[in-house]
């Protein structure tokens, strides 16, 4: 399917790119020190860091992937938001941000060094740096493929154009430029997809009409009539919902281990909060982000649900099929844009899609250049250099990060299986992380030896569990079962959730055991790093919506209400 | 940090909104068959322009407060 763009579409895309570069240029003269470049001088207001916190996560996987999941699983995809994001965002804002921001650590790996030891920081810094470059490359690769399939653009041109633009604005303005552009991209993404939802809903007869059409989708696939429009009712066992997961695996695997592991420990998002202009602003950053995050299912999942309903009805809209005859859900958003949008607003929709690719890439690159400079270069190469030297290294790391991302994108074109394998390895590394942070921040007896042993053992447990289990209808290999098949899971998602649960549990228990067998750190070393030894942040705000506690409680209640409304 | 982000947000929304609105007024109505016969360019272009203007007003108000 090729979409023919008109002059107006290109004009809108060019306008957006001009604004992005102008922001980088305008910020160039304000970026004089490494503190400005890597931490925005800790000077950004909460509403900006809040939207950037959300937008750094708004990569293509979010926009296109969640729409694809909406078509594949229906409203149950909202679990990735109302269970798998909002509670963790509230937790990091209310309970964890005082340690990240108050310890004056410049990165998440640096917090691990302050709290534990050098080897724990090194393990986290090296795996994180490799993962960000790799993620950025996979995103570039996906964008190149999409633009080639959709617009007939040359694969190399698409990749190089977006890489050069992201490089330019980060090189010039550092983290501030990335954050400001992420806020711009947030509004553009909303502006590009909101009309799609409105027109699509009008076409299927509103929410009532969509629910009626989804009954046919569900029954045609052998599920209960409400399986695509009710999020919890069919979660009692894995075979009765399109996701193929049961409630405990969902709540523990996604709602606790994976979501807290990502939102509470991933430096890519935490870095945005650490750039805030005060402790109060840093704590409110994830809470502010949680509000639009809660509403995003209506923007990205609904188009997928509309697409599958229209496809089932057999009208003039049909999702394309893959060579094996199954539906190609990944094309949901591009197909919907092409179906409903005339020239003009089509350019806006495609620009929003491009913005999502670029914001995801910029988030990865800024996190990479900070971890590379502070946690690897300064720690192991040149600890006593001048500030100007680290600023230069940061800019060089930006060039290297972008170049490595482009290289990773080209590797993906040749060795797609290697990329799948790398993604799997990073999933193993990430799964146990939250146990380390939870014990580090809330149990003063946790030691560096305990943390490191727990992390390595948790990663190994994830790999072993994956090697001993296999999802239904998959062959042993990269999908699991590469040691022996001892457990079957009804779906790949269920296997992922349980792999995470095993990794987290092993890391948690082993960290405790090894910590109890090794020498406890002195209390004086842990002030500002552990809950029981840190004075509570002074409450300077007077209005309830500026206090993290009450604001978090209201947002959590709203998320619970959404779960009930779509139960 | 030296740049009020509300200005570029407002500027971008107005620039894109005006392009859409003008194109919506000049374009052939038959292209809107696929969008339920709604001139979505004109309608959404005006909404974005209004939204952009609100951002610029917010920015001006913040400047006055600081002064």
């Amino acid at each position: 399917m090729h979409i023919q763009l008109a002059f107006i579409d290109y004009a809108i895309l060019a306008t957006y790119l001009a604004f992005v570069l102008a922001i980088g240029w305008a910020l160039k003269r304000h970026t004089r020190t490494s503190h400005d470049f890597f931490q925005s001088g800790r000077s950004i207001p909460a509403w900006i860091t809040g939207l950037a916190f959300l937008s750094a996560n708004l990569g293509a996987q979010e926009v296109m992937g969640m729409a694809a999941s909406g078509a594949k699983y229906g409203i149950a995809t909202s679990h990735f938001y109302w269970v798998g994001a909002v509670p963790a965002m509230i937790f990091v804002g209310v309970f964890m941000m005082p340690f990240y921001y108050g310890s004056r650590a410049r990165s998440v790996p640096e917090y691990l060094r302050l709290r534990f030891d050098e080897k724990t920081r090194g393990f986290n810094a090296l795996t994180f740096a490799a993962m960000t470059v790799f993620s950025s490359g996979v995103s570039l690769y996906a964008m190149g493929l999409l633009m080639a399939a959709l617009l007939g653009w040359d694969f190399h041109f698409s990749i190089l154009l977006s890489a050069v633009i992201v490089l330019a604005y980060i090189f010039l303005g550092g983290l501030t430029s990335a954050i400001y552009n992420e806020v711009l991209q947030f509004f553009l993404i909303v502006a590009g997809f909101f009309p799609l939802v409105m027109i699509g809903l009008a076409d299927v007869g509103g929410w009532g009409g969509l629910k009626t059409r989804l009954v046919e989708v569900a029954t045609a696939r052998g599920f209960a009539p409400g399986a695509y429009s009710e999020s919890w009712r069919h979660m009692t066992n894995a075979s009765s919902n399109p996701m193929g997961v049961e409630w405990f695996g969902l709540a523990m695997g996604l709602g606790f281990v994976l979501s807290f592991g990502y939102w509470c420990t991933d430096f890519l998002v935490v870095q945005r909060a650490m750039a805030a202009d005060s402790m109060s602003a840093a704590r409110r950053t994830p809470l502010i982000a949680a509000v639009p995050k809660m509403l995003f299912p209506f923007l990205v999942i609904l188009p997928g649900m509309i697409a599958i309903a229209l496809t089932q009805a057999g009208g003039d809209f049909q999702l394309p099929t893959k060579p094996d005859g199954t539906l190609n859900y990944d094309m949901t958003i591009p197909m919907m844009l092409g179906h409903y949008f005339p020239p003009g607003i089509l350019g806006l929709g495609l620009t929003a899609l491009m913005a999502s690719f670029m914001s995801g890439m910029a988030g990865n690159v800024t996190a990479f250049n900070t971890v590379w400079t502070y946690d690897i270069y300064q720690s192991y190469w040149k600890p006593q250099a001048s500030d100007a030297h680290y600023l230069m290294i940061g800019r060089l790391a930006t060039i290297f990060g972008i170049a490595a991302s482009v290289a990773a994108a080209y590797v993906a074109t040749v060795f797609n299986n290697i990329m799948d394998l790398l993604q799997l390895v990073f999933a193993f590394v990430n799964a146990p992380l939250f146990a380390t942070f939870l014990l580090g921040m809330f149990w003063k007896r946790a030691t560096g030896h305990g943390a490191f042993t727990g992390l390595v053992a948790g990663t190994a447990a994830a790999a072993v569990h994956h090697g001993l289990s296999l999802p239904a209808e998959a062959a042993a290999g990269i999908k699991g079962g590469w040691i022996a098949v001892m457990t079957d899971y009804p779906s790949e998602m269920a296997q992922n959730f349980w792999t995470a649960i095993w990794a987290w549990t092993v890391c948690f228990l082993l960290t405790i055991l090894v910590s109890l067998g090794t020498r406890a750190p002195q209390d004086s070393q842990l002030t500002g790093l552990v809950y029981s030894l840190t004075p509570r942040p002074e409450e300077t705000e007077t209005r309830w919506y500026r206090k993290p506690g009450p604001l978090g409680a209201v947002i959590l209640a709203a998320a619970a209400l959404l779960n009930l409304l779509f139960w | 940090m030296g740049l009020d982000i509300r200005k570029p947000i407002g500027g971008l929304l107005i620039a894109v909104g005006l392009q859409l609105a003008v194109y919506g007024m000049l374009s052939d109505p038959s292209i809107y068959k696929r969008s339920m016969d709604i001139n979505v360019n004109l309608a959404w272009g005006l909404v974005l322009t209004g939204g952009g203007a609100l951002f610029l007003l917010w920015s001006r108000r913040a400047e006055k407060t600081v002064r």
Side-chain angles (χ1 to χ4, degrees):
Chain A
M1 169 207 165
H2 265 212
I3 293 176
Q4 206 61 46
L5 293 187
F7 174 77
I8 178 76
D9 301 318
Y10 284 111
I12 288 171
L13 180 60
T15 303
Y16 162 68
L17 296 179
F19 268 83
V20 163
L21 291 172
I23 286 176
W25 183 256
L27 288 168
K28 178 174 175 265
R29 59 200 171 92
H30 300 288
T31 310
R32 297 193 189 93
T33 67
S34 67
H35 186 55
D36 295 334
F37 189 81
F38 296 116
Q39 297 176 279
S40 300
R42 285 195 159 187
S43 64
I44 302 196
W47 75 271
I48 296 177
T49 52
L51 290 179
F53 189 95
L54 175 69
S55 195
N57 166 258
L58 258 185
Q61 281 162 311
E62 178 81 2
V63 173
M64 288 182 58
M66 286 300 171
S69 295
K72 202 172 176 180
Y73 308 126
I75 194 72
T77 308
S78 64
H79 291 312
F80 285 94
Y81 295 81
W82 302 335
V83 176
V86 172
M89 292 164 92
I90 293 168
F91 187 83
V92 70
V94 174
F95 296 108
M96 292 175 75
M97 204 49 72
F99 307 115
Y100 283 139
Y101 195 86
S103 67
R104 310 297 294 177
R106 297 166 301 181
S107 68
V108 167
E110 189 166 63
Y111 172 82
L112 285 176
R113 183 183 66 77
L114 294 170
R115 173 62 186 86
F116 293 121
D117 55 17
E118 191 56 65
K119 62 181 179 295
T120 310
R121 184 255 285 269
F123 182 80
N124 183 245
L126 289 169
T127 51
F128 181 79
M131 191 167 59
T132 50
V133 165
F134 160 78
S135 301
S136 176
V138 167
S139 181
L140 262 184
Y141 167 68
M143 191 198 64
L145 282 186
L146 179 72
M147 292 304 176
L150 206 59
L151 306 175
W153 285 13
D154 181 66
F155 179 81
H156 312 289
F157 170 77
S158 303
I159 281 185
L160 292 176
L161 174 71
S162 47
V164 165
I165 287 168
V166 172
L167 170 63
Y169 74 72
I170 296 176
F171 187 89
L172 291 168
L175 179 63
T176 310
S177 186
I179 285 176
Y180 279 18
N181 273 306
E182 281 157 7
V183 174
L184 200 69
Q185 284 150 353
F186 169 81
F187 286 104
L188 196 73
I189 289 166
V190 173
F193 293 131
F194 187 75
L196 183 66
V197 175
M198 290 293 104
I199 296 169
L201 265 183
D203 192 24
V204 296
W207 175 244
L210 179 60
K211 275 177 79 171
T212 306
R213 287 168 182 253
L214 288 172
V215 168
E216 205 179 318
V217 175
T219 50
R221 286 159 175 74
F223 296 113
Y228 275 74
S229 54
E230 295 162 342
S231 65
W232 280 103
R233 203 180 299 268
H234 309 279
M235 285 287 163
T236 43
N237 72 63
S239 59
S240 60
N241 65 76
M243 266 182 152
V245 296
E246 37 48 78
W247 70 271
F248 184 80
L250 179 86
M252 276 301 290
L254 172 66
F256 181 61
V257 177
L258 289 173
S259 78
F260 280 69
Y262 175 75
W263 292 102
C264 301
T265 72
D266 195 311
F267 183 50
L268 189 154
V269 288
V270 173
Q271 185 178 29
R272 272 74 197 143
M274 289 165 85
D277 59 10
S278 67
M279 171 67 87
S280 169
R283 294 181 74 195
R284 277 183 286 126
T285 291
L287 303 178
I288 290 167
V291 176
K293 184 75 180 173
M294 203 160 39
L295 302 175
F296 250 71
F298 302 111
L299 201 66
V300 294
I301 295 174
L302 267 182
M305 294 168 68
I306 293 165
I308 195 67
L310 292 173
T311 300
Q312 183 70 32
D316 58 350
F317 177 90
Q318 290 293 306
L319 281 173
T321 51
K322 293 177 183 173
D324 64 3
T326 57
L327 288 174
N328 186 352
Y329 295 106
D330 290 337
M331 288 300 281
T332 298
I333 282 283
M335 292 294 294
M336 291 283 280
L337 289 174
H339 180 71
Y340 283 122
F341 277 5
I345 201 157
L346 177 63
L348 179 61
L350 289 171
T351 302
L353 208 52
M354 194 147 179
S356 75
F357 279 105
M358 286 168 62
S359 69
M361 185 179 179
N364 278 306
V365 170
T366 48
F368 168 80
N369 68 24
T370 306
V371 167
W372 171 264
T373 305
Y374 285 152
D375 293 297
I376 298 172
Y377 183 81
Q378 187 179 27
S379 299
Y380 305 122
W381 253 292
K382 251 195 160 172
Q384 300 295 335
S386 68
D387 187 74
H389 179 78
Y390 292 128
L391 178 59
M392 180 193 72
I393 290 297
R395 289 199 155 123
L396 290 176
T398 304
I399 296 173
F400 175 78
I402 295 277
S405 302
V406 172
Y410 279 106
V411 168
T413 61
V414 186
F415 304 109
N416 215 320
N417 280 344
I418 284 185
M419 301 313 256
D420 288 344
L421 188 64
L422 276 173
Q423 207 147 20
L424 199 61
V425 170
F426 289 135
F428 297 161
V429 171
N430 271 345
L433 255 183
F434 182 62
T436 306
F437 279 85
L438 192 66
L439 289 168
M441 288 183 174
F442 298 97
W443 187 46
K444 67 176 185 176
R445 187 66 184 76
T447 67
H449 294 311
F452 183 74
T453 311
L455 267 181
V456 173
T459 301
V464 169
H465 178 268
H466 185 265
L468 294 174
S469 61
L470 196 63
E473 296 172 26
I478 200 154
K479 300 285 185 192
W482 41 271
I483 301 173
V485 182
M486 291 179 67
T487 311
D488 285 314
Y489 284 104
S491 67
E492 208 172 318
M493 199 179 290
Q495 182 198 32
N496 291 342
F497 291 170
W498 279 98
T499 296
I501 291 169
W502 276 100
W504 188 91
T505 308
V506 167
C507 177
F508 187 80
L509 294 176
L510 213 66
T511 302
I512 291 173
L513 282 175
V514 175
S515 291
L516 291 173
T518 48
R519 195 146 52 111
Q522 293 179 331
D523 283 5
S524 59
Q525 297 172 315
L526 300 179
T527 306
L529 302 168
V530 178
Y531 190 78
S532 60
L533 300 172
T534 302
R536 299 292 160 270
E538 265 184 51
E539 200 55 85
T540 52
E541 306 289 354
T542 51
R543 295 170 184 156
W544 71 267
Y545 56 83
R546 294 176 71 92
K547 293 179 181 176
L551 178 60
V554 168
I555 294 168
L556 195 60
L561 182 64
L562 283 168
N563 274 300
L564 287 173
L565 283 175
F566 293 92
W567 188 269
Chain B
M1 200 55 200
L3 173 70
D4 182 355
I5 187 64
R6 286 168 285 214
K7 286 178 181 166
I9 292 171
L12 178 66
L13 291 178
I14 288 173
V16 170
L18 286 177
Q19 286 179 68
L20 282 177
V22 170
Y23 184 77
M25 285 189 280
L26 300 177
S27 55
D28 181 346
S30 69
I31 68 168
Y32 298 108
K33 277 204 182 310
R34 61 170 87 168
S35 58
M36 316 276 297
D37 285 321
I38 303 163
N39 187 336
V40 69
N41 282 329
L42 179 58
W44 197 235
L46 292 174
V47 170
L48 292 185
T49 305
L54 286 176
F55 268 100
L56 294 184
L57 281 173
W58 182 19
S59 172
R60 278 195 61 175
R61 230 185 76 169
E63 274 176 14
K64 278 184 182 172
T65 309
V66 169
R67 257 188 257 140

